[in-house]
Amino acid sequence: MKSLSLKLQDGIFSETEALLAQLKQNRNNYINEAVSYYNRVQNRLLLARKLQEESRLVAQSSMEMLSEMEQIEDANLLPE
């Protein structure tokens, strides 16, 4: 386990201490759970951004492919 020096804003510290007293929970465990939760949230946000970017990148290619397929289909439907 790694040691960490942490500076919290006074209001955040006071709120955390009040919650810890009510929850009867260890400060270290509480902060570990909070950071773990925040990491999961951030990982999901990063994944969502990555999916949006990849979708944007393939959108143009997909539209071009759709257009080509429609042209082929239209050509096959024309009477000779």
Side-chain angles (χ1 to χ4, degrees), residues 14-43:
S14 297
E15 183 180 16
T16 302
E17 290 297 304
L19 285 168
L20 290 172
Q22 291 178 1
L23 296 170
K24 296 180 172 74
Q25 189 173 3
N26 175 297
R27 183 187 308 137
N28 186 59
N29 187 45
Y30 183 83
I31 292 172
N32 272 297
E33 287 180 13
V35 171
S36 178
Y37 174 79
Y38 191 73
N39 285 344
R40 288 192 307 272
V41 169
Q42 292 302 314
N43 278 322

